[in-house]
Amino acid sequence: MALVVLVLDQATKAWALAALTPGEPVDLIGSAIRLNLIRNAGAAFSLGDGSTWVLTLVSLAILVGVVIGARRVANTPWALSLGLLLGGAVGNLVDRFAREPGPGRGHVVDFIDYFGFFIGNVADIAIVVAAGVIMVLAQRGISVGAPVHHPEHADG
């Protein structure tokens, strides 16, 4: 799952850079959902745009935590969630290391504008979906290492 998210994220960012012009949004669903190319030095909502190095280090720490946690996964919902989270985190980290203004300080390519409130990318979508699923799993008490039992498949 992580590789699928990473490839989709980087492919859509390459497309956005080639097809879109900063400051010239393209309406998809009226003005509610637009394609609007920006380069984001910060985190969500452009927070911390003066602390790109700190964001990069925090992202790397989270990435290490996900990789360590993934070794204990015993069920599909957690595996998919961590795959989404890993793919999204790596997608944005690729930008941080490979894009201007330089390694560790690169700006993330964002291009999906939601109601003029937030502009994100495919990696962000994967991270948000993963967070939502993880919250549901935690609320239901399903831990990373717990196999999911389905009553309809129980023997006798």
Side-chain angles (χ1 to χ4, degrees), residues 75-127:
N75 61 66
T76 302
W78 271 102
L80 292 173
S81 298
L82 292 180
L84 287 169
L85 187 58
L86 183 62
V90 171
N92 284 336
L93 275 172
V94 166
D95 287 10
R96 294 280 182 219
F97 283 102
R99 299 198 188 278
E100 294 294 329
R105 299 174 293 122
H107 297 179
V108 173
V109 174
D110 288 334
F111 61 94
I112 306 168
D113 186 335
Y114 302 92
F115 308 98
F117 181 63
F118 172 81
I119 303 175
N121 56 47
V122 171
D124 298 332
I125 293 168
I127 291 166

